[in-house]
Amino acid sequence: GDLPEDQMAAALTPFITDNGLGAGASVGLGWVGKGLGLGVIGGGDVYLAGPNVMGAQGFLDATTAAVVGIGIPIKLGGLRLQVGGDLRPYVRMTGKVGGTQVLGAVMGGSDFDPLTLPVRVGFGLALDLGARMDFGRFLSVGLAVRDITPKMNFTNTTLGGVGDALQAGAAGGTPVVYQILPNLTAGVSLTPIPEGLR
């Protein structure tokens, strides 16, 4: 049967006080072929930590994005260069949550309405670029730059008002501006064992 709220709080307390308690989900759908990639991805996370369930604080973070990408292989004598990139329009939502709110969601209490949770929501457009040079079958060098994007405006709203905030844009409230720095990754791959001996 259903646990009373105090028993549910007692069961969750060790998780929240020791390491924090979180949950997440991610889903995506895509198609790749002939150097073109198309996709839609979405995901979200909720995390809580604190001295007890009622005093716990945390965050929720969710993103939905569409992806349009292209990749081109180029032969340079005996070398192979692969370059590509993608464009990602996305919607991001972030906000703070408390232990009482999460407990209300788990318990399904009649006095808790998740649509009233305060969140910040914003729309962004990001560019990702990458390249990989293959020196034969044994050595590859790669470089990727992710999240090349202008500053992002977030509007304060509620979970239930996300759709209205997106339609209204920055006019829906005073925007909070965030600067997003690109993420640069470089790597080297060495495969010393010939393919026939692996």
Side-chain angles (χ1 to χ4, degrees):
D2 293 336
L3 287 175
E5 191 169 322
D6 58 342
Q7 290 182 7
M8 178 66 78
L12 291 176
T13 295
F15 296 106
I16 289 175
T17 58
D18 291 345
N19 297 310
L21 178 65
S26 181
V27 66
L29 179 66
W31 175 86
V32 177
K34 300 188 179 185
L36 178 67
L38 303 172
V40 177
I41 54 175
D45 296 289
V46 177
Y47 176 77
L48 278 175
N52 53 52
V53 173
M54 297 307 182
Q57 294 293 316
F59 65 86
L60 65 86
D61 193 10
T63 303
T64 301
V67 183
V68 178
I70 187 168
I72 303 169
I74 302 169
K75 282 283 194 181
L76 301 172
L79 306 178
R80 183 177 180 206
L81 174 66
Q82 298 181 67
V83 295
D86 67 63
L87 195 60
R88 277 184 299 116
Y90 63 94
V91 175
R92 182 155 184 207
M93 183 175 53
T94 184
K96 294 180 180 178
V97 293
T100 54
Q101 294 166 324
V102 172
L103 188 60
V106 171
M107 295 294 293
S110 58
D111 58 342
F112 175 75
D113 182 2
L115 296 180
T116 63
L117 285 173
V119 294
R120 287 182 175 170
V121 62
F123 173 80
L125 184 63
L127 175 68
D128 306 318
L129 298 172
R132 187 179 87 190
M133 177 72 81
D134 296 329
F135 299 91
R137 296 182 178 183
F138 305 116
L139 177 65
S140 297
V141 177
L143 177 69
V145 184
R146 184 173 168 79
D147 293 327
I148 303 168
T149 182
K151 292 179 180 177
M152 187 174 182
N153 292 335
F154 279 83
T155 302
N156 292 314
T157 184
T158 62
L159 198 56
V162 167
D164 293 337
L166 290 175
Q167 288 178 358
T174 304
V176 179
V177 180
Y178 285 90
Q179 177 68 53
I180 301 172
L181 299 176
N183 183 327
L184 180 66
T185 305
V188 176
S189 171
L190 181 62
T191 311
I193 301 174
E195 190 171 341
L197 298 178
R198 291 180 203 162

